[in-house]
Amino acid sequence: MQPKGKAIASMSVGIVATSISVIAMILPFFWMVAGILTGVIAVICGIIAIVLSNRSLHSGRAVAGLVTGIVGCSIGGIVVILCSVLVYFFSFSLM
């Protein structure tokens, strides 16, 4: 796969990761984990695409994928932490 394909894959998976992480705020725990995992995949693809791009036109897409992957991981992680704190302090299940 060329750097262009990796950049587009990174951006697409990053957008999906961010979307899943936002949806995870109201859905069960599985979606939080799925958002974090897809975010990690987007970050890895983004890093590979940036390294292979040689400052070409496709590095913008790779950076966008890297950023959206980081945002997806961050939102998913924050939701996991908040749900854990709520369960710990209030002793009720969110699922």
Side-chain angles (χ1 to χ4, degrees):
M1 189 185 285
Q2 298 174 351
K4 178 182 176 183
K6 287 181 182 61
I8 292 172
S10 173
M11 189 173 63
S12 301
V13 175
I15 291 169
V16 169
T18 304
S19 302
I20 289 175
S21 295
V22 169
I23 291 172
M25 292 181 191
I26 57 173
L27 293 177
F29 184 76
F30 166 77
W31 293 101
M32 296 175 211
V33 175
I36 293 171
L37 291 178
T38 53
V40 169
I41 292 169
V43 168
I44 291 171
C45 287
I47 290 171
I48 291 171
I50 288 171
V51 168
L52 296 178
S53 70
N54 293 331
R55 299 180 189 247
S56 68
L57 297 173
H58 309 297
S59 64
R61 290 182 183 146
V63 171
L66 183 66
V67 169
T68 54
I70 291 170
V71 168
C73 286
S74 300
I75 292 173
I78 289 170
V79 170
V80 167
I81 291 170
L82 286 176
C83 288
S84 300
V85 168
L86 286 174
V87 168
Y88 179 76
F89 283 120
F90 298 111
S91 297
F92 66 91
S93 176
L94 296 176
M95 293 185 227

